[in-house]
């Protein structure tokens, strides 16, 4: 007989294996912002992918909403140690947005209304790993959470899921974005605890 | 709407970096040229870090990240800081 048994701690104390190291479950949806919340009318909104040749692939709101839309249920992990499990989103896959994009470059910089930037390798955006999301929990995305649309890259820490996203710029090198210039990790994999430099 | 504090909130976080009260120093915004006391800046505090913005043009003056064990400061948005003795 073993003296070490999980039975004494009870099932409720077992760590949820969906939680990356150093993370705690939350019920609410904390808001982290580096500045004022931009007020973007969908009539003025556009999403643009710019390649090394200067070619721009751009969608206005109506064109964007006419693209194939996916329902996404995923866990999200913020570098400030909170995680939410099974969150529900609707958005357009980056695979759809990159379908006609011709690029040899391996890195992207996400640009947001309001000036925020974050760098994401192209590999982390493709093959069903990322979306431009416009609904959360069945409702249009609240401006405080990045509406009208935000990047959703749930396998990386949530600062990579740029709020108020307006486009992606292809880059030859993995240049740091806003938080990455100031101590945060270039990639941000929560399972490797890639929080800081 | 995300609310912000004024620059006086920086007195504690910046004490690690400056031996004087930095909030009374004046700085020049690189974006618009406004020269103002740091205490007049707009300060956005979140778990990820502290972002200091020019009260005139909203441009980022400074960013602070503090993990408890490590701290970073980026003053790239300020072209000069004046301290009066």
């Amino acid at each position: 007989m073993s003296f070490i048994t999980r039975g004494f701690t009870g099932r409720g104390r077992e760590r949820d294996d969906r939680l990356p190291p150093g993370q705690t479950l939350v019920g609410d949806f904390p808001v982290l912002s580096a500045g004022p919340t931009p007020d973007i009318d969908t009539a003025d909104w556009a999403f643009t992918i710019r390649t090394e040749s200067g070619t721009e692939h751009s969608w206005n709101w109506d064109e964007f909403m006419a693209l194939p839309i996916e329902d996404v249920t995923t866990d999200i992990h913020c570098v400030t140690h909170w995680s939410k499990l099974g969150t529900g989103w609707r958005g357009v896959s980056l695979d759809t947005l990159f379908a006609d994009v011709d690029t040899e470059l391996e890195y992207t910089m996400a640009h947001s209304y309001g000036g925020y930037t974050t760098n994401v390798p192209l590999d982390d955006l493709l093959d069903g790993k990322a979306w431009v999301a416009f609904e959360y929990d069945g409702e249009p995305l609240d401006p405080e959470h990045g509406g009208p649309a935000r990047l959703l890259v749930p396998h990386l820490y949530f600062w990579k899921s740029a709020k108020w996203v307006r486009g992606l710029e292809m880059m030859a090198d993995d240049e740091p974005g806003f938080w990455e210039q100031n101590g945060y990790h270039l990639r941000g994999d929560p399972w490797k605890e890639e929080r800081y430099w | 709407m995300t609310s912000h504090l004024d620059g006086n909130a920086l007195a504690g976080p910046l004490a690690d970096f400056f031996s004087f009260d930095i909030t009374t120093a004046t700085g020049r915004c690189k974006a618009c040229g406004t020269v103002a006391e740091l205490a007049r800046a707009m300060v956005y505090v979140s778990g990820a870090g502290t972002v200091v913005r020019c009260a005139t043009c909203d441009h980022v003056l400074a960013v602070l990240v503090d993990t408890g064990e490590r701290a970073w400061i980026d003053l790239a948005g300020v072209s000069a800081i004046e301290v009066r003795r």
Side-chain angles (χ1 to χ4, degrees):
Chain A
M1 165 180 173
S2 168
F3 287 98
I4 302 169
T5 166
R6 287 174 178 270
F8 289 124
T9 57
R11 188 174 164 75
R13 290 195 178 201
E14 283 181 28
R15 185 170 173 83
D16 192 319
D17 61 11
R18 294 171 296 178
L19 272 184
Q23 296 295 109
T24 303
L25 268 186
V26 293
D28 58 348
F29 194 162
V31 172
L32 264 69
S33 283
T37 301
D39 181 16
I40 308 140
D41 196 312
T42 52
D44 303 321
W45 182 91
F47 183 82
T48 303
I49 299 174
R50 184 181 166 87
T51 70
E52 61 270 35
S53 66
T55 305
E56 292 190 343
H57 301 257
S58 198
W59 297 264
N60 65 26
W61 189 258
D62 290 340
E63 293 164 340
F64 184 76
M65 298 304 280
L67 295 170
I69 291 165
E70 297 182 7
D71 288 287
V72 182
T73 301
T74 187
D75 304 338
I76 57 176
H77 311 290
C78 182
V79 72
T80 61
H81 298 276
W82 60 260
S83 291
K84 279 179 80 67
L85 303 180
T87 57
W89 305 81
R90 293 186 86 213
V92 174
S93 168
L94 267 292
D95 294 311
T96 299
L97 296 167
F98 270 92
D100 296 323
V101 174
D102 185 19
T103 181
E104 298 295 317
L105 304 184
E106 295 179 8
Y107 301 99
T108 78
M109 185 69 80
H111 292 269
S112 294
Y113 292 98
Y116 181 78
T117 57
T118 188
N119 56 300
V120 189
L122 185 56
D123 273 355
D124 280 313
L125 295 179
L126 301 180
D127 298 325
K129 293 199 288 286
W131 297 265
V132 173
F134 55 86
E135 272 187 32
Y136 170 72
D137 202 15
E139 301 287 336
L141 194 54
D142 183 37
E144 286 210 328
H145 290 303
R150 75 180 297 160
L151 205 56
L152 178 64
V153 194
H155 69 289
L156 299 179
Y157 280 125
F158 215 45
W159 89 77
K160 296 288 187 182
S161 295
K163 298 198 278 190
W164 317 297
V165 71
R166 65 176 176 80
L168 294 166
E169 175 192 1
M170 297 309 304
M171 296 193 300
D173 301 306
D174 201 8
E175 305 282 348
F178 181 83
W179 287 119
E180 295 87 355
Q181 291 175 42
N182 290 291
Y184 284 91
H185 196 278
L186 261 188
R187 180 146 183 273
D189 182 341
W191 295 97
K192 297 177 182 168
E193 279 211 88
E194 292 175 339
R195 298 179 193 274
Y196 308 105
W197 294 352
Chain B
M1 206 59 150
T2 310
S3 61
H4 62 84
L5 308 172
D6 70 36
N8 287 298
L10 296 170
L14 284 176
D16 284 342
F17 295 97
F18 300 98
S19 60
F20 51 91
D21 179 5
I22 186 75
T23 62
T24 61
T26 55
R28 180 180 181 278
C29 171
K30 265 192 186 171
C32 74
T34 296
V35 176
E37 294 84 11
L38 204 53
R40 303 173 83 89
M42 300 185 293
V43 179
Y44 293 85
V45 179
S46 78
T50 298
V51 180
V52 187
R53 290 176 178 269
C54 173
T56 302
C57 77
D58 214 32
H59 195 77
V60 176
L61 297 172
V63 182
L64 290 108
V65 171
D66 191 342
T67 74
E69 295 170 342
R70 302 164 69 192
W72 289 264
I73 184 167
D74 174 350
L75 289 167
V78 185
S79 66
I81 292 175
E82 178 188 356
V83 181
R84 299 210 177 186
R85 298 188 186 90

